[in-house]
Amino acid sequence: MFGAGPLVFCSHNGNSASADGVAAWLEWAGFRFDPFAVLDAALDPHLSEYLVGHEVFAQIWGDHISWVFAPPGGGKTSLRISVSRACWIGQETNRPFPIPYTPPFLSWGNASPSLEDHLGALAQAAAITLFLATAYRPHWFFRLDKHRQQEVRNAFHQNLPGPLPYYLERCRQTGNVDTLRRALDPSFILRDPPKSVTLLEWCDALDKGPNSFSPLSPPDRWHQMRTLLLDVLEFPVVYILADGFDGAPETAENPLSVVNCLASLIPHAERWADERVFLKAFLPADTPNLFEKKFPQLIAPAYVSTVNWTPALLAEVIRRRVYVATEGAFGSLDAISSPALRDVETLLAKVVPPVPREMLVLTRQVLECHTQLHGTSGLIDERDVESAVEKYKKDTHKRG
Amino acid sequence: MINATQLNYSPDKFVDREEELTELEQRARALLEGRNGHGVLIFIGERGVGKTWLRAHWREQLRRQKVPMVWIDLREYTGKDPTWAVADIIRKVSTATKGPDEGLGADLAEMSRNLFAHLRKTLLQEKGFILFIDHVYESEWAMLPLLEDYLLAPLSVEPRVLIALAGRGRLYPWKTPELGVKANLIEVKPFSDLRFTQWQLERQAPQAVGEAPEIHTITRGNPLANYLLALRGVNTGLDWSLEGLLATIPEDHRRKVREYVEALCVLRDFDEERIPAMLAIYYDDPSYQNWMYAQARRIREELVRWALAHWDTEKRSYVLDRIIRDIAEQFLRQQRPDKWEALQKAAFNLYTRWTQEYPRTRERWQQEAKYHQQQLQMTPDQSPVEKRD
């Protein structure tokens, strides 16, 4: 597909010398950071800044039920994390409270959970998120009166996966929120963790009061969490962000099993919406017809978003990252390519399967080839792209 | 060197903008009446299009309506430490809303919390306010995430606060939906109709009303350029107008920047690969052809820094601001026709060479070569502004 000329193969990518070379070239080219290095959306601190397909995000964001359909690797988790991060900006409780909800099939032991199963899991997911959030923002807890502080304590006792004193003790030992984050949800990152002394005060304050409780039923636990979030802590709304169906063996291969998994939960979504709790589900691309058939009233077209990765949109993934990483200096690899190349991103997008991750892998490959062929300066040229494409195809073939 | 001038805002010299003002007035009234008037407005538009005047006019209206407002100009924080700058802005918002000046907190997070505690107790219970932040997109990106996290994002969802942002240059990728995908863009456009240019000149430069059609053709309705051109007249005012359009650039940079603009103004878009060829002709100095990429990049960075050029997402290349390019090229064509012709020829030759050297992108460079050929074939009375795009 590319012009004639001697083909030069790049050596194996991913080693540290290669990474150093790319980093040095990016710096030469005017990048402030490497926007192609992190392939796991959850670990990318800039994810929300270089979101593409803004219309999909705009459709999801808001106080309504949302259904997002996309293929595996098609950006569902990126969108879910972006929604979550948009909820956590700032120091106040005046933004939505997000509950990341990945159905815990292992603990249920089946793939068709009852409503009780869901409610118990939701209460636990909400408690984990709130526990971590108040560890980062202890002032939310401190400013409550004693009675309300006790309600928070009760909810943690009832709903955290392990005993509250155990988590508090671990936190005391390190004086660092990271201990809790790693134990409960490594993807949970908020700006401005508290100083150790404040964190220890929070641990001590939470450790007061009785430690034994009669266990509540899952519906009561969910009701308790909901009341806590909306009435006690005064979050305006709660978003339940259901995701992870592509990655779970129980649902990855069979679209009907995704519908079966959510079948007991979805009928309650409308009533919950009236109570300011909004379900936002990030679902596999092969399930919309099944959901529409089973829940024709609920899957309203206005709240359905489908992510279709066209070459144009994939090209935008790279352009947006370039724009953010160069602080708006330029928005395409064209700016740092020889005149022999134009619309580099679309060239690359036509080579890869239609998922953003592959686009990032190939782009990174272009940069590695460039640094191997030309060193850590100079414009990207045809040879870099040709070599990268050949290498990418060989690697893809090996991966099967 | 000519001393450029700009007309200061005055209500009796204000023209048009009915549509924008109606929306702004409705929003302000909603705030005052306790209805849902919150949200984020973002003013955008090219240099000289009237953003400053629209803002000044709106501010005047708000003052008359007694709408509480806080006005921040981010130019005051150029070169300052970002954390200090945002702390100072939080303090200003606090004092402007009758909150504490000192003791807000030891870090931005604490200051933000205390500001909101104050706002919730007082202002947001009774009435709302408008926060206007100017020159947002000209600011360093190091400051904007702090401003977003500690002030704008939490304020953007408060039901009794209207945030208005204005600026020109690189749009910042806000991560807060209310500032990004959910914000309302107010694009201030040049006067589309000759009548508005006539009304403007009647109020601001009545001696030039007779020249309004010619002025409007050259400026395509840009109010600042209308005014500047009207002051000296079409025949002699282009030099003065270009200087006026560049007046925001500090004097020690302005002369060089103007030369770069003149060297590049015949191009529809540019990048570091094209800059040396054009400078070599502009300065009659072939040594520019040997420039390294990094040297050309400094020129591009300078033009972007002063918001005279920006990355164009459709062309995937840099473009000079439309009004800057229009006036600079008209000036060259009228006052320095030999230079204009030499630059057009240089561009034509460059693109013709690229057409031969780069087969994959031949079509793209052919289009540009053809464009410059057409420009060279135009008679002097044909305006490049009318014909080129």
Side-chain angles (χ1 to χ4, degrees), chain A residues 331-348:
Chain A
S332 164
L333 294 174
D334 282 8
I336 39 177
S337 298
S338 125
L341 286 171
R342 283 301 97 162
D343 204 358
V344 183
E345 293 85 4
T346 306
L347 274 178
L348 302 180

Side-chain angles (χ1 to χ4, degrees), chain A residues 2 28-29 58 61 89-91 94-95 139 191-192 320 323 327-332 335 339-340 343 379 382, chain B residues 113 120 141 146 149-150 153-154 158 170-171 173 176-178 182 273 293 297 311 316 318 358 360-361 365:
Chain A
F2 291 100
W28 171 85
W61 183 260
I89 303 170
Q91 300 285 313
N94 63 356
R95 303 186 66 80
H139 63 283
R191 196 174 189 136
D192 303 315
R320 187 73 184 157
Y323 183 81
E327 296 196 345
F330 51 91
S332 164
D343 204 358
L379 300 176
E382 283 176 296
Chain B
R113 289 199 291 272
R120 287 235 170 103
W141 278 23
L146 302 179
D149 281 5
Y150 299 109
E158 286 296 335
R170 306 155 301 158
L171 283 180
T176 309
E178 290 77 12
K182 298 283 185 182
E273 289 290 285
Y293 178 85
R297 188 159 81 188
W311 180 261
R316 283 190 291 278
Y318 294 95
Y358 306 122
R360 187 199 298 281
T361 48
W365 307 129

Side-chain angles (χ1 to χ4, degrees), chain A residues 101 112-122 218-219 264-268 271-272:
Chain A
Y101 183 51
S112 301
S114 64
L115 179 63
E116 286 222 340
D117 289 335
H118 276 299
L119 295 181
L122 275 169
S264 58
L265 183 70
I266 287 180
H268 301 272
R271 184 170 52 82
W272 286 2

Side-chain angles (χ1 to χ4, degrees), chain B residues 11-269:
Chain B
D12 59 318
K13 292 191 163 65
F14 189 79
V15 179
D16 190 33
R17 309 304 184 197
E18 289 302 321
E19 201 181 313
E20 292 91 339
L21 285 168
T22 304
E23 179 172 351
L24 295 174
E25 201 182 329
Q26 280 170 355
R27 296 253 182 185
R29 197 178 306 133
L31 268 188
L32 279 179
E33 291 168 3
R35 288 183 284 118
N36 189 356
H38 82 294
V40 177
L41 305 175
I42 299 181
F43 294 85
I44 54 168
E46 67 179 25
R47 180 180 295 261
V49 81
K51 297 187 295 295
T52 307
W53 275 54
L54 176 61
R55 291 185 313 249
H57 199 74
W58 187 37
R59 191 175 184 174
E60 197 57 37
Q61 282 188 337
L62 293 173
R63 197 171 283 142
R64 279 202 300 271
Q65 291 172 292
K66 296 192 168 40
V67 179
M69 55 182 162
V70 183
W71 219 263
I72 305 281
D73 187 345
L74 292 190
R75 271 187 309 195
E76 290 172 25
Y77 300 98
T78 307
K80 300 273 169 42
D81 172 69
T83 304
W84 179 88
V86 173
D88 194 59
I89 292 167
I90 291 175
R91 264 194 299 271
K92 274 187 182 160
V93 174
S94 178
T95 48
T97 53
K98 299 191 170 57
D101 178 15
E102 296 298 322
L104 269 170
D107 55 37
L108 290 177
E110 196 180 351
M111 291 180 78
S112 176
R113 289 199 291 272
N114 288 330
L115 173 69
F116 276 83
H118 150 67
L119 288 176
R120 287 235 170 103
K121 252 188 257 162
T122 57
L123 202 63
L124 300 178
Q125 295 284 336
E126 307 151 21
K127 49 188 172 181
F129 74 101
I130 293 175
L131 172 63
F132 194 101
I133 303 195
D134 208 352
H135 296 101
V136 174
Y137 298 113
E138 292 90 334
S139 303
E140 293 293 323
W141 278 23
M143 176 166 64
L144 298 182
L146 302 179
L147 193 63
E148 178 177 19
D149 281 5
Y150 299 109
L151 185 65
L152 298 181
L155 269 183
S156 69
V157 288
E158 286 296 335
R160 320 264 326 245
V161 179
L162 178 62
I163 297 174
L165 306 176
R168 201 165 53 79
R170 306 155 301 158
L171 283 180
Y172 178 73
W174 304 108
K175 50 189 185 285
T176 309
E178 290 77 12
L179 297 167
V181 292
K182 298 283 185 182
N184 299 287
L185 284 185
I186 296 186
E187 187 182 356
V188 187
K189 293 179 179 163
F191 296 141
S192 56
D193 196 315
L194 169 63
R195 282 175 306 165
F196 293 119
T197 295
Q198 279 169 332
W199 289 341
Q200 182 198 353
L201 298 187
E202 278 167 17
R203 293 178 188 198
Q204 298 175 6
Q207 76 284 1
V209 171
E211 286 188 293
E214 212 176 339
I215 289 173
H216 187 82
T217 302
I218 293 171
T219 64
R220 292 195 258 182
N222 179 291
L224 176 59
N226 282 346
Y227 171 72
L228 291 167
L229 209 46
L231 283 187
R232 293 289 171 99
V234 173
N235 288 332
T236 53
L238 286 164
D239 187 13
W240 162 268
S241 301
L242 184 55
E243 202 61 20
L245 288 167
L246 302 179
T248 50
I249 300 167
E251 257 185 81
D252 52 338
H253 287 263
R254 201 183 305 154
R255 188 177 62 81
K256 275 308 226 191
V257 168
R258 176 171 170 159
E259 288 169 1
Y260 303 148
V261 165
E262 289 181 12
L264 296 170
C265 70
V266 302
L267 299 180
R268 293 202 287 194
D269 60 284

